[in-house]
């Protein structure tokens, strides 16, 4: 038999019990044809000797924001600014660049702002106005749950009108005298976003192209986009079309599972039996989770229940440390969530509830369990996104009811010290857990929440293992023998970003492990993540999705930008 490709001379980690390791892997029509002795007598159009490099299943980022990040690649990057003077200088440079282009109305966009890098301070509105003049300004906080604007933007958004009222689930932050500070929180960001929306298909496709080429360079072959089409997280009501167009034109370099935002659904009617005797919330035509193909498909419905830990807006049962009388808030009434989420569930939608604080997690668990009990399973697992401050009883409950969770280990390095300070020592062990979820039999999926943290999966793998913050602290503490209480083994960490993420996204039959018949989605690494002391130091030598190189540093092998159009895998 003639195969498309054989990779030889590799240390292949399959994560399959029947054949955990192999040296050669054959690929035909985008799928894995077999290993080692199964390839005897097979020729291939292309054969590559990997000279001892390590092959693992393609990485799956179970929760990220590709369009948001991709669009932000053109913005001023504020994440490395330390002290507001540095930040102002970056903005002055960008304002001068835009002035030189002669477009006085062009927005000044920035990403990656983190007040902790400025001693907890936010930029001064008058100073921002002096830099920008009448040019609108929009700086995203690294958490995504806050942003910084100037007077020009606030005026455009209507926030300076007499009688202006904050939207449900958000606020235009004001000082003691009632004057806006320039900070907009949570749903109030939607007022600014609506000035920018909808983005054109071309802008979104450009963003997807730029972003997913970088995903491929990180070894990512699949990702779940955590919110499209509506709400402050959406970029266009036609966002699915942009993904499909990117795919058709060879500009989507990783497989996308798209979560429609709850607000994108509307009341649907059908046969009463199909909706459990009541009305439901869905998309037209009965489109639902799982619809699509191997490159672009629909996932669960994304629901935001609370804010962020960094912004101290996550809903917690006890106040944040250093923030008396602040225990965050739910973004809408509990009753509204119960009703709307159940209506989506009745129409067949699995649900992914963004819940960071333990108070939000309580409500998320209550709603998911009630829906599962009342209406039975939907096509993909239900999920709680972030599961950031999870009490022990909540870990057990999520596991018992088969609810997938996506705590981001990648946060621990850059954000862990800040998070630990906000919850204090008594609750630190509840933060972005790993070990206790696995031990409880829970469904854990690796993810970055890009751009909240970067999507360097190797760093994420190492973070699952050592849980070290930037200051060197081990988040959640250590056992007597010095091992991190919430640490995973390197193999468990690898599983979190591959087969466990595949299980959580309902795609384990097709990917997440290397087995004959599954998609040929794999990563070639410079060493074994199961053996090296620092996984973050490994190099991604190549990435294949559907048997095609989406990234390559191998000699003589170029990434193949050819359209996957028509390729079944
Ligand atoms: Zn997110």
């Amino acid at each position: 038999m003639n195969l498309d490709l054989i990779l030889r001379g590799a240390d292949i980690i399959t994560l399959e019990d029947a054949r955990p390791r192999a040296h050669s892997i054959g690929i035909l029509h985008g799928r894995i044809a077999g290993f080692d002795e199964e390839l005897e007598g097979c020729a291939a159009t292309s054969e590559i000797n990997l000279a001892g490099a390590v092959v693992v299943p393609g990485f799956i980022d179970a929760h990220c924001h590709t369009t948001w990040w991709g669009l932000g690649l053109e913005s001023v990057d504020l994440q490395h600014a330390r002290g507001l003077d540095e930040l102002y200088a970056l903005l002055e440079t960008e304002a001068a660049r835009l002035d030189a282009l002669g477009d006085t109305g062009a927005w000044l966009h920035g990403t990656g702002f983190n007040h902790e890098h400025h001693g907890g301070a936010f930029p001064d509105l008058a100073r921002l106005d002096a830099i920008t003049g009448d040019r609108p300004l929009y700086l995203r906080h690294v958490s995504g749950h806050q942003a910084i604007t100037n007077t020009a933007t606030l005026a455009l958004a209507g926030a300076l009108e007499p009688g202006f009222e904050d939207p449900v689930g958000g606020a235009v932050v004001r000082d003691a005298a009632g004057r806006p500070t320039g900070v907009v929180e949570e749903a109030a960001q939607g007022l600014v976003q609506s000035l920018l929306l909808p983005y054109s298909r071309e802008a979104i496709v450009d963003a997807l192209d730029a972003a997913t080429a970088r995903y491929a360079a990180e070894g990512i072959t699949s990702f779940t986009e955590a919110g499209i089409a509506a709400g402050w997280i959406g970029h266009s009501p036609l966002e699915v079309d942009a993904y499909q167009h990117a795919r058709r034109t060879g500009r989507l370099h990783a497989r996308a599972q798209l979560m429609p935002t709850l607000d994108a659904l509307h009341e649907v009617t059908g046969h009463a039996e199909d909706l459990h005797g009541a009305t439901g919330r869905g998309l037209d035509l009965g489109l639902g989770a799982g619809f699509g193909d191997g490159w672009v498909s629909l996932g669960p419905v994304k629901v935001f229940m609370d804010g962020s830990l960094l912004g101290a807006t996550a809903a917690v049962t006890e106040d944040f440390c250093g923030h008396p009388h602040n225990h965050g808030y739910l973004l809408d009434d509990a009753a509204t969530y119960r009703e709307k989420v159940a209506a989506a569930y009745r129409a067949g939608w699995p649900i992914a509830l963004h819940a960071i604080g333990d108070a939000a997690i309580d409500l998320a668990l209550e709603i998911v369990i009630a829906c599962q009990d009342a209406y039975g399973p939907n096509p993909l697992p239900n999920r709680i996104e972030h599961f950031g401050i999870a009490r022990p009883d909540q870990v057990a409950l999520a596991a018992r009811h088969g609810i997938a969770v996506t705590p981001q280990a990648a946060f621990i390095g850059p954000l862990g010290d800040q998070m630990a300070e906000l919850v204090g020592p008594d609750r630190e062990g509840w933060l972005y857990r790993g070990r206790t979820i696995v031990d409880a039999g829970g469904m854990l999926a690796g993810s970055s929440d890009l751009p909240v943290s970067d999507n360097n999966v190797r760093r994420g793998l190492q973070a699952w293992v050592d849980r070290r913050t930037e200051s060197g602290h081990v988040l959640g503490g250590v056992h007597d023998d010095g091992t991190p209480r919430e640490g995973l083994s390197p193999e468990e960490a690898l599983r979190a970003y591959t087969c466990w993420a595949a299980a959580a996204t309902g795609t384990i039959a097709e990917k997440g492990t290397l087995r004959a018949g599954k998609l040929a989605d794999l990563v070639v690494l410079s060493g074994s993540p199961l053996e090296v002391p620092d996984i973050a130091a490994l190099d991604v030598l190549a990435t294949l999705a559907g048997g095609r190189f989406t990234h390559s540093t191998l000699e003589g092998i170029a990434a193949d930008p050819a359209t996957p159009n028509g390729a079944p895998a």
Side-chain angles (χ1 to χ4, degrees), residues 60-379:
I60 298 172
D61 188 339
H63 177 132
C64 57
H65 302 283
T66 312
T67 303
W68 169 11
W69 185 62
L71 290 166
L73 291 171
E74 300 290 314
S75 306
V76 185
D77 186 356
L78 302 171
Q79 65 173 322
H80 302 297
R82 293 295 182 276
L84 288 175
D85 284 336
E86 270 187 50
L87 181 138
Y88 295 138
L90 287 168
L91 298 180
E92 273 161 2
T93 305
E94 177 65 1
R97 188 185 73 83
L98 292 170
D99 286 344
L101 294 175
D103 184 355
T104 51
W107 286 63
L108 199 169
H109 288 284
T111 57
F113 172 76
N114 184 344
H115 57 289
E116 287 301 319
H117 294 160
H118 310 284
F122 285 77
D124 175 64
L125 181 60
R127 183 73 194 271
L128 293 174
D129 288 341
I131 294 170
T132 58
D134 293 335
R135 187 186 294 291
L137 171 87
Y138 193 43
L139 310 179
R140 308 296 300 269
H141 191 276
V142 66
S143 67
H145 292 261
Q146 285 176 312
I148 293 153
T149 62
N150 62 356
T151 299
T153 304
L154 291 169
L156 286 171
L160 305 180
E161 302 291 326
F164 169 82
E165 281 184 28
D166 283 332
V168 173
V172 172
V173 177
R174 292 170 192 272
D175 64 16
R179 287 179 304 247
T181 64
V183 176
V184 292
E185 248 177 39
E186 302 297 348
Q189 297 178 104
L191 301 173
V192 183
Q193 293 277 83
S194 67
L195 299 168
L196 300 165
L197 293 174
Y199 286 85
S200 68
R201 180 171 82 173
E202 190 187 349
I204 297 173
V205 170
D206 285 348
L208 293 174
D209 188 6
T212 59
R214 288 164 171 83
Y215 286 14
E218 294 292 348
I220 294 166
T221 52
S222 292
F223 64 96
T224 297
E225 184 77 353
I228 62 157
W232 66 263
I233 201 75
H235 296 89
S236 162
L238 308 180
E239 222 157 346
V240 174
D241 174 59
Y243 273 83
Q244 288 195 307
H245 189 72
R247 184 264 165 109
R248 277 194 298 272
T249 53
R251 302 182 71 195
L252 185 67
H253 311 290
R255 303 175 189 275
Q257 182 186 61
L258 309 176
M259 290 186 184
T261 310
L262 182 64
D263 293 347
L265 273 50
H266 55 84
E267 208 161 278
V268 290
T269 51
H271 193 286
E273 267 178 30
D274 298 338
L275 297 167
H276 301 275
T279 57
R281 294 178 75 85
L283 298 178
D284 290 327
L285 308 177
L287 297 184
F291 187 82
D293 62 16
W295 280 87
V296 179
S297 66
L298 295 176
V301 165
K302 174 76 184 291
V303 184
F304 284 98
M305 300 191 73
D306 67 347
S308 77
L309 177 46
L310 293 190
T313 54
V316 287
T317 49
E318 305 277 341
D319 289 350
F320 288 106
C321 297
H323 295 253
H325 314 301
N326 177 9
H327 50 263
Y329 53 91
L330 291 173
L331 298 177
D332 207 340
D333 301 337
T336 306
Y337 283 121
R338 287 187 187 103
E339 180 211 313
K340 284 190 176 173
V341 173
Y345 199 93
R346 285 197 301 270
W349 285 93
I351 43 186
L353 298 162
H354 165 116
I356 290 182
D358 63 328
I361 294 172
D362 275 336
L363 182 60
L365 285 165
E366 178 213 302
I367 291 175
V368 174
I369 292 167
C371 285
Q372 291 184 166
D373 286 351
Y375 310 119
N378 275 335

Side-chain angles (χ1 to χ4, degrees), residues 3 73 155 157 238 246 283 299 329 369 374 423 435 453 462 538 546:
L3 304 178
L73 291 171
L238 308 180
L283 298 178
Y329 53 91
I369 292 167
V423 299
R435 175 88 268 135
S453 76
Q462 184 62 31
L538 294 175

